[in-house]
Amino acid sequence: MSLAVHTSDLDIIGAGFVPLDYAATAPCVRAAADAVNALLPRYGSVHRGTGPRSQTSTLEYERARDVIADFLGCRPGDQVIFTRNTTDALNLLARALPPGTTTVVFDGEHHANLLPWPNALRLPAPASWADAVTTAERALRELRGPVLLTVTGASNVTGELWPVRELAAVAHRHGARIAVDAAQLAPHVPVSLADLDADYVALSGHKLYAPFGAGVLAGRADWLDAAPPYLAGGGASAHVGDRAGDVRWAAGPARHEGGTPNLLGAVSLAAVCSALGEADRAALRAHEQELLAHLREGLRRVPGVAEVSIFGTGSERVGIVSLTLNGRDPSVVAGRLAEGFGIGVRAGKFCAHPLVRRLSETPGNAGCDGGLLRVSFGLGTTPEDIDSLLAALASL
Ligand code: PMP
């Protein structure tokens, strides 16, 4: 097996313990830390001042937006709006839907993409890509008025990729739009609005090797420009009169970015996007796939451990695997991995209750309250990390 791809901007900072919970929050890479350190001594207000610090900060903030637009393959006229995270981005989109919009969503979604939609049609989680496309097609055919199909790019439970391109084609064939929850896809696979022919994409910086607190919603401007501001306040308002309600809201991203923005979050996220944009992502992905194969092969040899899957074991996926433990409580096992071996994984339902309930309902798994054990990884993970986990699981 080849060793980690060495790209210094994409080196994980910090050492110690074995972090295998990247799907919750990934460790930070050097590019993000450097960007924060470079800006800390010289930042000022954003879009609110004339001093040199303020001017530099405004430029850096808008440059971050441009870098992220490039990273996400935005088309002319698409907007990039900074949010707190994916949950925030999808809630923003939910609030910007034209009146009467129906949202179509599969049961396999993370709660962030299941709960914000005001008028949601929930479809059962599909058993295959073909099933996903046929089920979506059947639902979309019946709907009138504005429709948004919203789907995850990669499952936060199984890491399996969803047929985003195919679903985008179906959505557009029926006059609907499609949003992609790329929280788990973007850290592993290049995501391009233009290539996927998707209308919106949402992601979280803290899963993309940047620090906490910044996320993005990117996509078509028309619905966003026509919507009431997501956060009413300074920055979102272009003119405020003397009477209540006499407000002209700003156009463009500022309309939904009320309040002082998270400059460090935006700039550090853009630094990671830029480093990833320059990296050989095919090589990074190939390395991750080698680690994934090594992990899955090793897991098959651990008695009582079984991988779960939405679309079947052969489906394409990113570095995320969830397991049933033959009746053992995943949270107890996760605790033992942490205390005894310094290994961080996650146990439970991962904010995807309907999907995890379905996947964990196997006869041998009774008494686990429907939870799973999840292992997830990415940049900086080594074969030795995987071996430590396999050895620890075997010894437990
Ligand atoms: N979507 C998916 C697929 C996720 O995995 C997560 C986080 N686990 C979210 C959305 C929500 O991300 P955040 O908590 O950063 O808002």
Side-chain angles (χ1 to χ4, degrees):
M1 175 177 300
S2 64
L3 286 175
V5 180
H6 292 289
T7 318
S8 67
D9 270 356
L10 292 176
D11 283 348
I12 297 299
I13 59 165
F17 303 111
V18 180
L20 292 174
D21 192 16
Y22 281 48
T25 288
C28 183
V29 294
R30 185 173 310 286
D34 287 350
V36 170
N37 285 330
L39 202 50
L40 280 175
R42 53 192 185 86
Y43 71 64
S45 65
V46 178
H47 287 308
R48 281 161 173 77
T50 49
R53 276 177 174 249
S54 182
Q55 286 186 7
T56 309
S57 298
T58 300
L59 278 177
E60 297 269 6
Y61 186 66
E62 291 308 322
R63 198 184 71 85
R65 201 189 301 282
D66 292 344
V67 167
I68 291 168
D70 268 2
F71 180 74
L72 291 176
C74 286
R75 301 144 295 209
D78 281 342
Q79 272 182 16
V80 170
I81 301 177
F82 286 111
T83 64
R84 287 181 297 173
N85 46 39
T86 306
T87 306
D88 200 28
L90 293 170
N91 273 272
L92 192 170
L93 182 58
R95 297 257 291 272
L97 300 176
T101 300
T102 308
T103 308
V104 179
V105 59
F106 287 99
D107 258 353
E109 295 295 327
H110 186 280
H111 297 169
N113 196 25
L114 198 58
L115 303 181
W117 312 109
N119 183 17
L121 174 65
R122 269 182 47 185
L123 306 176
S128 66
W129 274 28
D131 187 17
V133 173
T134 321
T135 307
E137 173 114 55
R138 212 175 295 128
L140 293 169
R141 202 187 293 143
E142 301 303 319
L143 294 169
R144 299 290 168 268
V147 177
L148 177 75
L149 172 65
T150 181
V151 68
T152 190
S155 165
N156 71 308
V157 178
T158 66
E160 287 165 284
L161 303 190
W162 280 64
V164 172
R165 205 183 298 275
E166 293 77 356
L167 289 171
V170 171
H172 292 154
R173 204 159 50 239
H174 290 280
R177 291 192 177 186
I178 183 165
V180 183
D181 171 352
Q184 301 296 348
L185 187 63
H188 304 276
V189 177
V191 173
S192 161
L193 279 164
D195 290 352
L196 292 171
D197 194 20
D199 298 287
Y200 301 96
V201 66
L203 58 79
S204 294
H206 72 102
K207 295 181 196 290
L208 194 56
Y209 309 105
F212 294 99
V216 163
L217 174 70
R220 307 252 179 233
D222 52 352
W223 285 2
L224 297 165
D225 273 340
Y230 182 51
L231 292 171
S237 43
H239 165 81
V240 179
D242 293 334
R243 283 175 294 101
D246 180 8
V247 183
R248 186 159 41 81
W249 299 110
R255 186 182 190 83
H256 297 294
E257 290 181 354
T260 299
N262 177 0
L263 172 67
L264 291 171
V267 167
S268 55
L269 174 54
V272 178
C273 293
S274 166
L276 280 172
E278 282 163 22
D280 181 346
R281 293 204 74 186
L284 292 174
R285 178 139 167 80
H287 175 64
E288 182 182 297
Q289 291 297 311
E290 278 182 49
L291 289 176
L292 187 58
H294 181 52
L295 170 66
R296 295 175 78 194
E297 209 176 282
L299 288 170
R300 278 195 283 275
R301 288 198 293 269
V302 182
V305 162
E307 184 188 292
V308 296
S309 152
I310 307 170
F311 302 128
T313 45
S315 55
E316 202 181 338
R317 59 178 79 200
V318 298
I320 302 175
V321 175
S322 284
L323 307 165
T324 56
L325 304 175
N326 199 20
R328 304 245 340 239
D329 184 339
S331 54
V332 172
V333 174
R336 300 268 306 272
L337 288 172
E339 283 155 29
F341 305 91
I343 297 172
V345 294
R346 178 144 176 221
K349 299 201 190 86
F350 324 127
C351 301
H353 291 185
L355 178 64
V356 170
R357 248 194 321 271
R358 181 164 77 72
L359 294 179
S360 58
E361 268 166 12
T362 61
N365 207 35
C368 288
D369 188 30
L372 299 167
L373 187 85
R374 182 179 72 186
V375 181
S376 57
F377 59 90
L379 292 176
T381 304
T382 63
E384 291 72 30
D385 293 337
I386 303 291
D387 289 338
S388 306
L389 172 80
L390 292 171
L393 276 177
S395 78
L396 289 175

